[in-house]
Amino acid sequence: MSQSLFEPFQPLVAIATTPQAATTLQPICQLTGAILWVPETLADQANVQVYSGSLRDHLATLWPQHRGFIFGLATGAVVRLIAPLLEHKSQDPAVLVVEEQGQSVISLCSGHLGHADQLTRLIASQIGATSIITGTSTRSQLPSLDLLGQPFGWQRGAGDWNQVSGAIARQQSVAVVQESGSKLWQAHLPAEHPFVFADPPGDAPQVCITHRAAASDLPIVRWHPRVLWVGIGCERGTSRALIEQGIEQVFREFGLAMDAIASITTLDLKADEAGLLELCQDRNWPLQCFAPEVLRGVEVPTPSEIVAAEVGTPSVAEAAALYAAQVQAGSLEAESLKAEPATLIVPKQIIRNAEEAGAATVAIALSPLEFTGRQGRLYLVGTGPGSLDQMTPAAQTAIVQADAVIGYSLYMDLVQSRLRPGQMIETYPITQERQRAQRAIALANWGLTVAMISSGDAGIYGMAGLVLEELELQNWDGRAPAVEIFPGVSALQAAASRVGTPLMHDFCAISLSDRLTPWEVIEKRLQAAAAADFVTALYNPRSQLRVEQLTIAQTIMLEHRDPNTPVAVVRSAYREDEATQLTTLGQLHTVTVDMLTTVLIGNGSTHTYQNWMITPRGYLNSPQAS
Ligand code: SAH
């Protein structure tokens, strides 16, 4: 079960009032980790929780404790049940309805902010149902305005969200002014979109992506990327209130948005400063503390010799803010030197309050790369041999759930129908595997959910291994980013299924590509496989530049096997241009083989019957056979 796909939606609950609905919801609950509630009449069902009394009363108790509700009831009944509980779309949980037979999943309420649309897509993808999503942005392939900054952890600021969303739905132009945060989303818009990247924006409805706070009479919505690192210095014992007041005052004075705060930064000496700790905890701000040796090296506008003498660095607030912002700036680049520099936008301000002791210093640095505050995930997904129906539902769901999907362009075409609006799709040419792996890891380290796709199985001559090796090189702690591997049908299984049961006994796979493996090693393995009578699947049997390897493989096999040994040559299994040929080891050189082909060489007992290739398992020779 790939429950981690559903982690972001927890806690989830499901409700069924008929035996059929309970049967339909059971596998969905297993899949998603939702608890299934049923009335006393269905108490004999396994794995359920039973409520007594009215569903309306029970729902009122469940409502505030859950982020999503999956109903196996008629939509009308659900609408009446939830009506008294709904408050506002920014607060209400996701509400879904699953049709009694499980044919369709309906996103009923809180589609965007409550993530009901996405949960609907995922469940439908997992159970092979139709998803019914009625929001307008879904039709136009646009990311919804409400969720635009979600992958990057942006905070929704003030604004007239209904009016700007309405303008987008009516296909009016909407100006975008982006002063901070990643512009990655801009590169992944559909060809037809309403956004005009104009500056000045005029008086059209506007999306403003900024770390600033400003009032406006125009129809504007604000997203705040978390790009501000707030450096704090303070005297021992300074109160939480004074530090908070200081930060608020500086933000007001400089016209900055508190929602754009990424983190509070300071000297490690302050790691136990009670007021500061309390403030960070209450406001949910991460606290980063640095050693004086680190801060000493940062060039700042207002160093102080007195401070240096006291704590070992001439700057605390300015240096800590700048340092942390710069580390963040470099975190997406393979070589952090390439990153744009962070800038100190507020030099140190000293805040005192006549009525109490203590003092705080506040400085603010702006990083070109935002803090997402999200737990990154890496899904290593095997997409199977080609057609979508050969991809596991879990693999399809992983792709739907990802913020970014990375893979070869050919494979991206194969999963096109699984991609959803607002996803970042990055394709790389063949041979740039390492860059691709590093990019996937960097995006996941940044906090994104990244699906790295490989054809067949990602762990068989695919990208999964390289990604794990790169993580190892980067001293990955095994937890962040979280890694999950989604198996796929590998070429050898796909090819075998087209010709019979050639892999019915012990078999091995050998890639004939010597791009990453010395030819001597390949030859040695061919020898061993041939001698040990393994059924042998040859991957990468030939490229335009490499033509002789298959002939050598054939010669080696012929040293141990009969020329009449059946061989299957399967090209593009489960793709449009699929071609299958059964031949023999002796005739293999007469058949067209290319890089899209898998060659299956039978063992000493493989034979053909009515155009099927059969490798006996041994049942017919066993003593039980009669
Ligand atoms: N990870 C993949 C293998 C990638 S190596 C998997 O598990 O299937 C690439 C090789 O796989 C190709 O050279 C070819 O030998 C084989 N291959 C991939 N897709 C195939 C398909 N649809 N039909 C036949 N062979 C295929």
Side-chain angles (χ1 to χ4, degrees):
M1 222 51 65
S2 299
Q3 279 189 8
S4 77
L5 289 170
F6 294 93
E7 248 169 49
F9 306 92
Q10 302 301 341
L12 277 171
V13 79
I15 294 161
T17 54
T18 64
Q20 176 59 51
T23 308
T24 301
L25 290 189
Q26 284 281 12
I28 296 178
C29 290
Q30 251 186 33
L31 204 65
T32 58
I35 292 168
L36 179 56
W37 284 95
V38 297
E40 280 165 335
T41 48
L42 303 181
D44 55 339
Q45 298 250 346
N47 299 324
V48 291
Q49 302 263 7
V50 180
Y51 64 84
S52 44
S54 86
L55 175 53
R56 187 175 292 273
D57 292 344
H58 185 60
L59 191 59
T61 331
L62 296 175
W63 194 255
Q65 297 159 14
H66 293 87
R67 293 182 65 193
F69 288 78
I70 306 167
F71 287 95
L73 274 77
T75 41
V78 178
V79 170
R80 287 176 209 289
L81 276 167
I82 65 171
L85 301 167
L86 294 172
E87 275 175 26
H88 188 263
K89 62 181 181 179
S90 61
Q91 266 165 276
D92 295 330
V95 181
L96 281 71
V97 179
V98 177
E99 180 273 327
E100 210 179 40
Q101 305 292 332
Q103 308 271 350
S104 44
V105 186
I106 305 164
S107 169
L108 189 70
C109 200
S110 293
H112 294 164
L113 294 180
H115 305 291
D117 287 356
Q118 179 64 353
L119 187 56
T120 297
R121 281 189 200 100
L122 295 181
I123 293 177
S125 153
Q126 278 274 12
I127 65 170
T130 308
S131 60
I132 299 179
I133 294 170
T134 51
T136 45
S137 60
T138 312
R139 257 179 282 138
S140 55
Q141 292 303 308
L142 277 178
S144 95
L145 184 62
D146 284 336
L147 296 176
L148 192 67
Q150 191 223 0
F152 314 107
W154 299 351
Q155 304 290 300
R156 266 163 55 98
D160 193 341
W161 291 84
N162 284 342
Q163 195 161 343
V164 181
S165 295
I168 293 175
R170 290 188 298 275
Q171 293 173 352
Q172 288 172 2
S173 301
V174 169
V176 175
V177 178
Q178 182 162 9
E179 295 179 302
S180 40
S182 169
K183 293 192 174 161
L184 214 50
W185 69 278
Q186 295 183 10
H188 297 278
L189 290 169
E192 302 275 318
H193 64 75
F195 300 122
V196 185
F197 298 91
D199 199 10
D203 54 9
Q206 207 189 108
V207 181
C208 194
I209 302 162
T210 179
H211 52 282
R212 287 178 225 279
S216 170
D217 297 333
L218 295 172
I220 286 184
V221 294
R222 283 198 170 72
W223 272 109
H224 297 302
R226 286 187 268 174
V227 286
L228 300 180
W229 269 259
V230 182
I232 299 285
C234 63
E235 284 173 10
R236 188 46 86 194
T238 303
S239 73
R240 173 217 147 122
L242 182 58
I243 304 171
E244 189 169 27
Q245 180 200 329
I247 297 175
E248 281 172 354
Q249 186 182 318
V250 172
F251 269 74
R252 226 178 4 257
E253 236 167 74
F254 287 81
L256 300 171
M258 301 276 285
D259 278 339
I261 294 181
S263 158
I264 303 294
T265 62
T266 188
L267 185 67
D268 55 9
L269 211 68
K270 298 282 159 205
D272 61 352
E273 188 66 52
L276 188 60
L277 289 181
E278 197 189 317
L279 175 63
C280 289
Q281 201 157 26
D282 282 3
R283 303 287 292 245
N284 221 355
W285 289 327
L287 177 66
Q288 290 171 282
C289 303
F290 301 103
E293 304 81 68
V294 172
L295 298 187
R296 209 185 292 152
V298 183
E299 218 171 288
V300 296
T302 14
S304 149
E305 276 177 29
I306 304 170
V307 174
E310 233 172 82
V311 294
T313 164
S315 164
V316 171
E318 290 180 350
L322 254 180
Y323 182 79
Q326 189 58 43
V327 168
Q328 176 72 12
S331 62
L332 245 195
E333 306 284 337
E335 302 160 53
S336 47
L337 294 176
K338 278 195 288 181
E340 276 177 59
T343 45
L344 194 74
I345 55 169
V346 177
K348 80 172 177 196
Q349 312 288 309
I350 299 171
I351 285 96
R352 285 181 202 283
N353 181 342
E355 280 146 42
E356 62 176 295
T361 333
V362 179
I364 302 173
L366 170 74
S367 172
L369 188 70
E370 61 272 48
F371 165 72
T372 65
R374 300 179 65 210
Q375 147 89 64
R377 290 169 196 276
L378 258 176
Y379 296 151
L380 307 174
V381 183
T383 58
S387 65
L388 204 58
D389 61 355
Q390 300 299 322
M391 199 192 308
T392 68
Q396 297 188 36
T397 311
I399 293 173
V400 176
Q401 171 64 345
D403 301 309
V405 185
I406 300 187
Y408 288 145
S409 31
L410 170 67
Y411 304 153
M412 207 58 84
D413 292 345
L414 297 173
V415 301
Q416 199 67 38
S417 65
R418 293 292 92 186
L419 304 178
R420 64 176 168 81
Q423 268 177 326
M424 287 158 275
I425 311 300
E426 296 192 357
T427 56
Y428 283 75
I430 207 142
T431 72
Q432 288 193 6
E433 291 91 351
R434 207 160 163 204
Q435 287 92 322
R436 209 148 33 107
Q438 287 168 344
R439 173 72 175 167
I441 294 170
L443 290 175
N445 276 334
W446 186 34
L448 266 52
T449 297
V450 183
M452 164 70 102
I453 60 170
S454 282
S455 81
D457 184 272
I460 299 179
Y461 310 120
M463 289 298 294
L466 178 55
V467 170
L468 285 188
E469 282 182 85
E470 281 289 340
L471 282 167
E472 186 183 358
L473 279 180
Q474 299 180 17
N475 295 321
W476 176 53
D477 67 0
R479 287 192 300 273
V483 172
E484 189 165 349
I485 304 178
F486 293 81
V489 173
S490 188
L492 61 80
Q493 294 158 286
S497 74
R498 288 314 210 195
V499 296
T501 53
L503 306 177
M504 199 60 193
H505 216 288
D506 302 338
F507 64 89
C508 67
I510 299 178
S511 163
L512 295 192
S513 168
D514 58 357
R515 188 159 76 88
L516 304 169
T517 311
W519 178 250
E520 302 76 61
V521 174
I522 299 174
E523 229 179 88
K524 208 167 116 193
R525 290 186 184 158
L526 283 166
Q527 296 276 8
D533 201 31
F534 278 106
V535 175
T536 306
L538 301 179
Y539 281 72
N540 302 302
R542 169 176 283 172
S543 76
Q544 273 165 348
L545 299 174
R546 255 182 333 101
V547 290
E548 74 284 9
Q549 275 91 336
L550 186 60
T551 320
I552 304 175
Q554 180 191 20
T555 313
I556 294 173
M557 284 287 166
L558 279 171
E559 285 166 18
H560 299 269
R561 280 179 218 184
D562 193 288
N564 286 322
T565 305
V567 172
V569 176
V570 182
R571 183 180 189 278
S572 293
Y574 296 92
R575 295 185 193 158
E576 255 172 26
D577 50 346
E578 173 176 316
T580 302
Q581 206 170 336
L582 276 186
T583 182
T584 60
L585 192 54
Q587 293 300 308
L588 179 54
H589 58 282
T590 63
V591 177
T592 316
V593 170
D594 64 11
M595 266 319 254
L596 299 174
T597 308
T598 297
V599 176
L600 302 174
I601 302 171
N603 68 11
S605 38
T606 306
H607 57 274
T608 55
Y609 174 75
Q610 304 282 24
N611 258 344
W612 290 103
M613 189 169 169
I614 301 171
T615 300
R617 174 75 177 91
Y619 294 113
L620 301 188
N621 302 329
S622 76
Q624 290 107 319
S626 59

